[in-house]
Amino acid sequence: MKGLGHSILLLTDENGCGTVLSFNGMQSSLGESILGKAGVGKMSTGTMSAEEVSLFLKTGNLHLDGDQLNDNYDWALYRPISPEAYQAVLSHAQIYFRTEERFQSLYTRWALADLETEKAVLAQEMEEMRQDRTLPLYRLYTNNCDHAARELAGAADDAMQNYNLRTWHRTPNGNLKAFGHAAPQWGALSLGENSPGEKLLEFFMIF
């Protein structure tokens, strides 16, 4: 995406139809995220027809409901995968959905609770989720949209899996460039047209 970047994962099936996965912070506010506080994230999803996928790859414009699913994107790394790998990625994403559902259930019960003691117990459970390192928590600097997209892609690709274990750049664009150079079996595709200012910003997103 434009600017500092937002990474999504787009899976296309044998008919060219697309499923988009986009990870964002949910439990923490923007201020808390900037300060490095972890929280339960939200994995937004959207589906596209084959025609919509083709148009997105030509223009970079995404028009779906959900966080970061209605915006303009600059670049795509891509490669073909098998139907089994496609299912492996979707299966790997289930931990994100289960974690989100658990948090939403706790939050709903907290919002509807009448007794302060019950609210306190539920608030403590939500705070404990924020501390649970076995969960795929959202952390702006160490487990953000880009990390999640690369982790999911790694379920279908050994090169991406190895990159995730050994390399780290601060921005999505930095990881896109570094991985693109390191994995010749992946292709790179420019999405739409970029203004001179956007091209300059993209050039400096290398750290």
Side-chain angles (χ1 to χ4, degrees):
M1 192 182 70
K2 304 295 185 189
L4 290 177
H6 176 76
S7 295
I8 60 173
L9 182 68
L10 169 63
L11 295 170
T12 57
D13 62 19
E14 63 274 15
N15 298 313
C17 298
T19 297
V20 176
L21 300 170
S22 171
F23 189 53
N24 286 274
M26 177 176 67
Q27 186 182 6
S28 299
S29 67
L30 177 60
E32 289 175 325
S33 293
I34 290 174
L35 292 174
K37 194 168 187 179
V40 174
K42 179 177 179 59
M43 185 67 79
S44 296
T45 63
T47 58
M48 292 190 285
S49 67
E51 292 76 16
E52 289 171 327
V53 169
S54 179
L55 185 61
F56 168 65
L57 295 178
K58 289 178 182 176
T59 66
N61 295 321
L62 192 62
H63 300 293
L64 297 171
D65 292 330
D67 295 327
Q68 309 292 347
L69 295 186
N70 189 356
D71 221 307
N72 181 266
Y73 290 79
D74 295 320
W75 286 91
L77 292 177
Y78 65 91
R79 62 153 296 177
I81 60 174
S82 68
E84 293 76 18
Y86 181 101
Q87 291 301 322
V89 174
L90 293 179
S91 179
H92 197 73
Q94 293 308 305
I95 182 62
Y96 288 91
F97 297 122
R98 290 196 298 269
T99 302
E100 180 184 336
E101 288 168 3
R102 179 182 161 199
F103 176 79
Q104 288 180 328
S105 175
L106 287 172
Y107 183 83
T108 299
R109 289 164 56 198
W110 174 85
L112 296 176
D114 294 324
L115 299 176
E116 289 302 317
T117 52
E118 184 181 2
K119 277 186 174 289
V121 169
L122 292 168
Q124 179 61 32
E125 287 188 52
M126 288 189 285
E127 183 58 30
E128 288 173 359
M129 285 191 72
R130 188 195 292 265
Q131 311 292 333
D132 189 347
R133 292 189 173 273
T134 67
L135 300 177
L137 300 176
Y138 182 92
R139 297 181 181 87
L140 183 61
Y141 305 111
T142 58
N143 195 53
N144 56 34
C145 60
D146 183 59
H147 296 90
R150 287 187 286 109
E151 179 194 351
L152 292 175
D157 184 82
D158 291 340
M160 179 67 82
Q161 199 171 85
N162 291 333
Y163 177 89
N164 292 339
L165 291 173
R166 300 172 183 172
T167 312
W168 182 78
H169 287 260
R170 291 183 184 274
T171 67
N173 278 340
N175 282 306
L176 182 148
K177 288 183 177 182
F179 180 73
H181 287 301
Q185 67 270 40
W186 284 66
L189 178 66
S190 176
L191 308 179
E193 296 292 332
N194 293 325
S195 69
E198 289 166 345
K199 291 178 180 178
L200 182 64
L201 182 60
E202 173 200 325
F203 175 80
F204 285 107
M205 289 302 166
I206 57 175
F207 52 94

